[in-house]
Amino acid sequence: MSCTTQPITGQSPRVSCILHVPPAAHAQIIPRRARKTLRAAAQGGAGAETPGNSLFANNPQFAAALQSVAARQGDEALYSAPPAVEPEEQTTPHEEMLLTSLQISRRNIRNFESMKQILEKSIESEEQQFERLHFAYKKIKSEGAYIKHLERRLAQEKAKNQGQ
């Protein structure tokens, strides 16, 4: 059994518990009455047609399927759990949660690296645009200074010519 506690603001904490049942114990959970009914249904006996048994009532296909499974795999195949997973293959809920978190984190890293590459290209383009604009600004500024200088000289020449 594993339990977790979640704090809730202004209230008492919420406690959640999960009972872990190993696969081998699943067959033991089925009540004995249900086993007898399943066995009778698989063998086509009277238990398959009982009115209180809604699972098998008026359903000869299901009873036939159970009977074929019992014939192929034996009577115990109906009541036994699936084969247990090797201990090294079993993962705990905490491992599952951490594996899922790792996968999400790995995907986020890939996304951020992709965004980083896009941003780096955008920065390079913007720096190049800045350099071009800066060059154009300096050129316009120097041309403006040259034009003002020419205008002043022209004004001086006019004043000199008028004074003569």
Side-chain angles (χ1 to χ4, degrees), residues 143-159:
E143 286 178 0
Y146 179 70
I147 290 173
K148 283 185 183 179
H149 175 72
L150 287 178
E151 288 174 348
R152 268 189 265 132
R153 236 158 145 219
L154 187 62
Q156 286 175 355
E157 289 291 324
K158 276 187 183 178

Side-chain angles (χ1 to χ4, degrees), residues 36-46 48 63-64 66-68 70 75 78-79:
K36 289 179 184 177
T37 306
L38 285 172
R39 187 179 302 121
Q43 295 171 351
L66 282 177
Q67 190 174 11
S68 68
D75 201 23
L78 295 173
Y79 316 113

Side-chain angles (χ1 to χ4, degrees), residues 89-108:
E89 294 178 14
Q90 291 179 346
T91 56
T92 65
H94 295 285
E95 289 174 333
E96 289 278 334
M97 180 191 64
L98 288 173
L99 285 173
T100 303
S101 297
L102 281 171
Q103 291 169 347
I104 291 170
S105 181
R106 188 176 300 131
R107 185 180 65 225
N108 287 342

